[in-house]
Amino acid sequence: MATGRTPAEFTAALRTREQLIGYWSLLDSPVAAERLARLGYDYLAFDAQHGLFGYQGMLNNLLATDTKGSTAVGMVRVEANDLTYIGKALDAGATAVIVPLIDNAQDAADAVAAVRYPPLGRRSYGPMRAQLRIGPNPADTHAQTAVLAMIETADGLANVEAICATDGLDGIYVGPSDLRLAIGGATSTDPSVQEEFEQALTRIRKAAEAAGIAAGIHNADGASAARRLAEGWTYVSIAADVVHLQQIAASHLDAARQEGGESR
C-alpha cells in the first residue's frame, strides 16, 4: 500500500509542480470515500459546486478520507468564490480548495485572500476540525493549504496569464466542459471545436508553467489523464464516482445478459 503525504507534503508537491493524480467525487458516500482514499490516489476532490451533498456531507467525506490507510488528502471544489464557502471548506479540513468561475486577476486575488488569514488575507479564524491536521497557527496553515483557480470561461481564458501571475495563487484547474462551451461548443463535448479547445488548453498550461504554478485538468478516465500528464499538466483528476458506478454496473449487466444468452 502506498503511503500518503501529509497536508504539508502534498501542498509542497503541488507547488513544486510534481505530478499528482486525484479522483473526483460527486456522491455523498463516506464509505466509498474511505475505500477510494486507500487506492493510491494523491487526493480526493469533493465537488460542493455540482456534487450531491451539503456541508455535513462534505465534512463526513473529508473525515473518511483521513482514516487509517489513506494515501490521499481531501480537496473541495467550493460553491463559489465566496469568503464563507471557502472558509467553511478549509475549517472542515480541506487541504486545498478549487474555486470556480475565475474571470480575471481580481477574482483570483479574492480567492487567495479568502484562504489566507490577516494580514495576508481575509479568512476568519476558526479552524475547528482543520486544527487537528493543518496549522493551527496562521503561518503553518498558509504553508499547508492551497488555492486553485478554475479556468473555464471566455474571460478566464482571455485573462489567464494575469490570473496565473496572481500573488499567492498555487495553481489553476481547467473545467473542460465549461471551457468547451465558452469557446463556442454547442455541447460540453462538441467535437467541432476540438482544435480551438486544444489550443486553449495549450495556452492555459503554458501560462501556468511560465508563472511557476500547478496546472491541473479534469479527465473522464485514466487514459485521458495519462495523456494530459505526458503533455505537461502537473495534476489530473479522474471523474467521477457517480459516472463510473453507472458505467461499471452497465458493463456487468451487459456481460450477464450476454453470458446468459449464450448458455441458453
Side-chain angles (χ1 to χ4, degrees), residues 1 69 136 154 156 169 218 225 231:
M1 175 66 68
L169 187 68
H218 210 65
E231 291 172 355

Side-chain angles (χ1 to χ4, degrees), residues 207-219:
E209 182 180 9
I213 64 173
I217 188 169
H218 210 65
N219 301 271

Side-chain angles (χ1 to χ4, degrees), residues 26-91:
L26 296 165
L27 293 173
D28 182 2
S29 177
V31 173
E34 186 176 32
R35 286 177 173 261
L36 290 167
R38 297 169 64 91
L39 294 178
Y41 287 101
D42 296 300
Y43 64 90
L44 298 185
F46 300 103
D47 189 351
Q49 184 189 23
H50 294 303
L52 306 173
F53 48 78
Y55 175 78
Q56 191 63 49
M58 176 182 70
L59 174 62
N60 289 343
N61 281 280
L62 288 170
L63 284 165
T65 303
D66 293 336
T67 52
K68 182 179 179 180
S70 173
T71 65
V73 301
M75 278 191 195
V76 172
R77 175 163 71 174
V78 296
E79 295 97 314
N81 190 4
D82 179 274
L83 192 66
T84 298
Y85 291 142
I86 292 171
K88 287 175 76 70
L90 294 172
D91 289 349

Side-chain angles (χ1 to χ4, degrees), residues 140-162:
D140 294 331
T141 302
H142 296 164
Q144 296 170 25
T145 55
V147 55
L148 307 164
M150 288 201 73
I151 307 297
E152 53 185 344
T153 66
D155 285 343
L157 177 60
N159 296 314
V160 66
E161 289 82 10

